[in-house]
Amino acid sequence: MAINYAFVLDNEGKMLDPTKAKKAWYLIRQGKAELVEEYPLIIQLNRTVPSSQINDDEIVLGIDDGAKYVGVALVQDCKTKNKVLFKAKMKQRQDVSAKMEERNDYRGYRRSHKRYRPKRFDNRFASKRKGRLPPSIKQRKQAILRVVKHLSKHIRLDKIILEDVSIDIRKLTEGEELYSWQYQESNRLDENLRKATLKRDDYTCQLCEVEDTMLHAHHIIPVRDGGADSIYNLITLCADCHNNKVDNNEYKYKDQLLTKIDGKELNLKPAMHVMQGKSWLREELSTMAKLEITTGGDTANRRIDYNIEKTHSNDAICITGLLPIDRLDIKGYFIKPLRKKRASKIDSLGDFKHRDVIRYIKRDGTTYLGYITALRVKNNKYNSKVCNFTTLDGEKTFRGYGLTNLTLVNRPQGLMII
């Protein structure tokens, strides 16, 4: 069973070291603590803990910022071994642009019917101001800040490490220090170089021009013959071309492949697109704790070094740099930011409220975890109370299901954490 930690406060609100959930529930049963929140588990002790007794081991928050999903993790730098206290994956909203366009259509229709007012075309000063972030990007960064602020209320954040772009351009051009593994494993390619090679070649095999397949970064001049670990000696090949054609025949293809990459430059536009809003996010995070920056290449190297499965929350653990970690079987949470504006006409019905996280079990035993999107009373002789709910991943929506078949799991406030 996965380990779950509870955040702990004393009766004055001072943040203490987290404890295991089993012990937290024991303290609640004994009347020594009160439950503050269940997801994530937060308790408040009924006594005051002197400041001299509070542990000061550094707690680091790692953030794996992505367009669709964001990974967050809290790792404590303990004296004996590093401890993962919390990890989660947050799903970013993808509907903001569509809703902005819909709002624009409604506004345009309404304004076109105001015949008493002359048309105005140059009144969009707010959208043209310098340094403005598009709403679709800004809301993603604001969602990250909401999670960080929520965590900072219940646990001490000594340092925040944010992953910037997937590759470090400066390291590619200015060189980099060797990782510890490079002294023993001379044939292993640095992830920063591998990703840069694939990006430069547009994720396409440079021999057969296949795209959707397993791709390798191939050394044109073999390492065994002094070929450099450099983007100028690397090219993208599919697994079939690499293993069945070029491998052991490197010099047969050397001139052809060198011609392919001659003069080809790394396209930085995708990296620049990812950086939109990162400067604003950096400024905001730096006001909350000491901020450090890392890159996706470094994260990938750490993940490979310690043989950790690739997930968004595990990447956030690697971002902290507090490795190795003895146990990674920590409970992983799912976070979904909620809009402040509610679309539901009925906010509560029976024991349920709009946006409640519920569990529904079908007759065949299939279990769905979702949140209520609408509540209504059917216009029939029974006046049945029903709801619509959507699964947490947003893949399925169920309509018209009776409330008696549902079980309340959590009642979120602003952030859905489950």
Side-chain angles (χ1 to χ4, degrees), residues 198-220:
L198 268 57
K199 280 180 178 290
R200 182 201 61 194
D201 297 337
D202 200 23
Y203 297 93
T204 304
C205 176
Q206 298 302 292
L207 277 182
C208 66
E209 298 184 354
V210 171
E211 296 179 5
D212 298 327
T213 186
M214 176 68 72
L215 297 173
H216 296 173
H218 166 68
H219 288 84
I220 300 174

Side-chain angles (χ1 to χ4, degrees), residues 54-291:
I54 297 177
N55 186 15
D56 60 353
D57 288 343
E58 188 178 55
I59 297 175
V60 182
L61 172 65
I63 303 176
D64 176 26
D65 186 9
K68 190 172 183 180
Y69 291 101
V70 176
V72 293
L74 287 167
V75 183
Q76 188 170 22
D77 187 6
C78 302
K79 292 179 176 64
T80 54
K81 62 180 180 180
N82 301 327
K83 189 192 308 181
V84 183
L85 304 175
F86 175 86
K87 71 174 185 177
K89 179 179 78 170
M90 179 176 71
K91 184 176 182 181
Q92 293 279 28
R93 289 178 57 196
Q94 305 294 317
D95 60 346
V96 176
S97 294
K99 289 187 178 296
M100 293 281 293
E101 291 177 5
E102 182 181 6
R103 185 184 70 172
N104 186 54
D105 290 341
Y106 279 124
R107 283 181 170 179
Y109 176 81
R110 185 173 67 250
R111 285 168 177 158
S112 67
H113 286 72
K114 290 183 177 180
R115 299 181 182 177
Y116 58 88
R117 194 196 76 177
K119 293 182 179 180
R120 294 181 294 180
F121 297 98
D122 193 22
N123 62 343
R124 297 292 181 269
F125 296 109
S127 62
K128 296 178 181 179
R129 70 180 183 272
K130 186 177 180 180
R132 173 186 178 270
L133 282 178
S136 57
I137 294 175
K138 189 172 183 178
Q139 63 84 23
R140 293 175 184 171
K141 309 309 175 187
Q142 288 175 329
I144 296 173
L145 291 175
R146 287 168 66 186
V147 173
V148 177
K149 288 177 181 177
H150 183 78
L151 293 174
S152 66
K153 292 178 182 178
H154 311 295
I155 190 168
R156 186 182 73 254
L157 299 181
D158 299 308
K159 186 194 297 182
I160 300 173
I161 303 181
L162 172 68
E163 181 185 288
D164 252 2
V165 293
S166 59
I167 56 175
D168 191 334
I169 306 300
R170 182 183 56 80
K171 283 186 178 181
L172 290 175
T173 56
E174 299 178 10
E176 57 185 313
E177 295 181 0
L178 292 176
Y179 283 89
S180 59
W181 48 259
Q182 287 182 298
Y183 294 101
Q184 293 88 21
E185 301 181 42
S186 60
N187 290 330
R188 179 175 151 188
L189 183 63
D190 174 57
E191 279 294 292
N192 197 51
L193 276 170
R194 189 185 71 84
K195 287 186 174 185
T197 303
L198 268 57
K199 280 180 178 290
R200 182 201 61 194
D201 297 337
D202 200 23
Y203 297 93
T204 304
C205 176
Q206 298 302 292
L207 277 182
C208 66
E209 298 184 354
V210 171
E211 296 179 5
D212 298 327
T213 186
M214 176 68 72
L215 297 173
H216 296 173
H218 166 68
H219 288 84
I220 300 174
I221 300 175
V223 175
R224 64 178 181 268
D225 294 338
D229 276 339
S230 164
I231 196 168
Y232 305 108
N233 188 43
L234 290 167
I235 193 167
T236 303
L237 298 178
C238 68
D240 184 52
C241 289
H242 192 202
N243 297 330
N244 300 326
K245 292 182 181 179
V246 182
D247 197 23
N248 295 322
N249 292 300
E250 289 88 354
Y251 288 100
K252 177 181 177 181
Y253 292 91
K254 186 190 76 167
D255 293 337
Q256 179 185 353
L257 297 180
L258 284 173
T259 303
K260 282 270 188 180
I261 66 170
D262 184 37
K264 186 184 286 188
E265 295 183 358
L266 181 63
N267 183 12
L268 301 182
K269 287 185 179 179
M272 292 169 63
H273 178 74
V274 173
M275 280 299 295
Q276 285 186 297
K278 282 285 181 72
S279 297
W280 182 85
L281 180 61
R282 285 182 189 178
E283 292 176 3
E284 295 294 323
L285 289 175
S286 62
T287 63
M288 305 169 71
K290 179 183 176 183
L291 179 65

Side-chain angles (χ1 to χ4, degrees), residues 319-333:
I319 285 168
T320 65
L322 297 178
L323 299 169
I325 296 168
D326 289 343
R327 301 192 65 180
L328 282 173
D329 54 343
I330 180 99
K331 173 181 170 62
Y333 287 91

